[in-house]
Amino acid sequence: MSVRRPVRELRPGDHSLLVYNCDEEQRHVIGAFVGDGLAAGDKVICLADTANTPIPGLLGLHPEGLTVVSLQDVRRAGRFGPRAAMEALAREIKRAEETGFRDIRVTADMTWALRLPGGLPELLENERHIEATISPSTCVIAVCQLDGRRMRPGDLEALRGAHSVQAVPNPAFEDSVLRIVRTFKPTGLALIGELDASRHSVLDEELAQLTRSVNGNEIHLDLSGLGFIDLGALNIFADVAKRRAGHGPLVLDRMSPQLRTVMETVGWHMLPGLCLGESD
């Protein structure tokens, strides 16, 4: 896997892989990919169980510009497997090219193919063919989806090798100093860059939004990418943990040894609802 790219930065010629580990992660990433394409006037082609299957991020609606290729229809055609599904997608791509769309977005969850006899070898063959076909394309962007919960380790490594790009979630916030990215396993946020007083309000808002959505589950903050954090931000962590006491802790993961020493010296690691998680 040579490139990790936020889904909003995918570009024509990208044959990308999304390995999701929960339904929320799939909705978050694919919803952005589909929604951004429709908003830009792109053609969006999705492979789904049936023509009426809800597409992530669209609340069951199938607006103009979206084409759903039904696995059910592929089965009815008499041949079924990764090759037949990819051929059905290729026909829709050709129609979109002939119609004159500037960009064409294609996404398919191919986890089902791994359960078929000989499914992995056939899927790998098709993915390598797609890689060779899409890479020089000037209009096609593809996201292949796989459910990481239903894969064997060997399957995942083999399929990663057949894709040039890994699709990852868009940052929830990003400027020249700080990037905040949603994480899903575990549920939380990754903080990258520097966290100073001018970005306290952003941190507070992102934590508030996440807290409202996770109910009583743990929230993990990955601090490994932080080069600087001020005491005000640590106070925000403490306030969030205090408000969540009894409803799932706020876990601070992979903090620097220096920051861990500060937390333990001040005694913040003993606050109700705040936990020091795993280290690097």
Side-chain angles (χ1 to χ4, degrees):
M1 191 72 65
S2 58
V3 178
R4 287 171 57 90
R5 192 166 290 159
V7 67
R8 72 184 180 197
E9 296 178 12
L10 294 175
R11 55 200 184 203
D14 281 346
H15 174 218
S16 66
L17 176 65
L18 168 68
V19 179
Y20 62 91
N21 290 288
C22 65
D23 294 345
E24 184 183 9
E25 182 175 14
Q26 183 190 32
R27 289 193 298 269
H28 186 85
V29 178
I30 299 303
F33 178 70
V34 171
D36 287 351
L38 293 173
D42 299 344
K43 182 65 177 181
V44 179
I45 303 169
C46 300
L47 182 69
D49 289 338
T50 70
N52 295 319
T53 299
I55 303 303
L58 297 183
L59 301 176
L61 301 176
H62 289 176
E64 185 178 356
L66 173 69
T67 294
V68 178
V69 176
S70 167
L71 278 173
Q72 193 175 76
D73 291 342
V74 175
R75 289 188 185 96
R76 290 193 188 115
R79 292 173 52 239
F80 185 64
R83 186 177 297 111
M86 295 301 176
E87 288 172 355
L89 288 172
R91 287 192 292 271
E92 291 299 332
I93 291 171
K94 184 176 180 180
R95 289 191 187 102
E97 289 174 335
E98 292 171 349
T99 303
F101 280 95
R102 185 191 64 182
D103 287 329
I104 303 167
R105 296 178 177 232
V106 184
T107 186
D109 191 333
M110 299 301 295
T111 310
W112 57 271
L114 297 174
R115 300 192 291 270
L116 300 176
L120 178 60
E122 185 177 344
L123 182 56
L124 281 169
E125 179 185 348
N126 279 276
E127 293 292 355
R128 293 187 184 109
H129 175 72
I130 293 169
E131 176 72 17
T133 302
I134 288 182
S135 292
S137 172
T138 59
C139 64
V140 180
I141 309 168
V143 179
C144 299
Q145 307 170 48
L146 292 168
D147 188 338
R149 299 165 294 185
R150 300 177 182 176
M151 299 178 65
R152 297 169 299 183
D155 295 347
L156 180 56
E157 291 308 312
L159 285 160
R160 278 180 171 165
H163 297 79
S164 59
V165 178
Q166 181 180 1
V168 298
N170 291 329
F173 171 83
E174 184 174 30
D175 65 10
S176 60
V177 175
L178 176 68
R179 184 163 78 253
I180 302 176
V181 181
R182 179 71 192 277
T183 60
F184 298 89
K185 189 181 180 182
T187 298
L189 300 171
L191 308 177
I192 302 102
E194 298 184 358
L195 189 44
D196 57 19
S198 64
R199 287 157 185 84
H200 286 177
S201 60
V202 170
L203 173 65
D204 203 26
E205 176 59 26
E206 293 300 331
L207 282 170
Q209 288 187 23
L210 185 58
T211 298
R212 288 192 292 268
S213 68
V214 299
N215 298 319
N217 297 329
E218 291 183 351
I219 293 177
H220 287 251
L221 299 184
D222 183 346
L223 307 183
S224 61
L226 280 182
F228 171 80
I229 182 171
D230 67 357
L231 291 178
L234 296 178
N235 275 320
I236 292 175
F237 295 163
D239 288 343
V240 170
K242 182 178 179 180
R243 293 196 299 268
R244 286 180 52 80
H247 299 282
L250 182 68
V251 183
L252 306 183
D253 288 327
R254 290 180 283 278
M255 63 178 64
S256 68
Q258 297 88 342
L259 179 56
R260 195 177 189 96
T261 298
V262 170
M263 298 287 289
E264 292 174 344
T265 300
V266 176
W268 275 338
H269 66 297
M270 301 175 64
L271 291 173
L274 187 65
C275 297
L276 304 190
E278 61 181 66
S279 302
D280 285 327

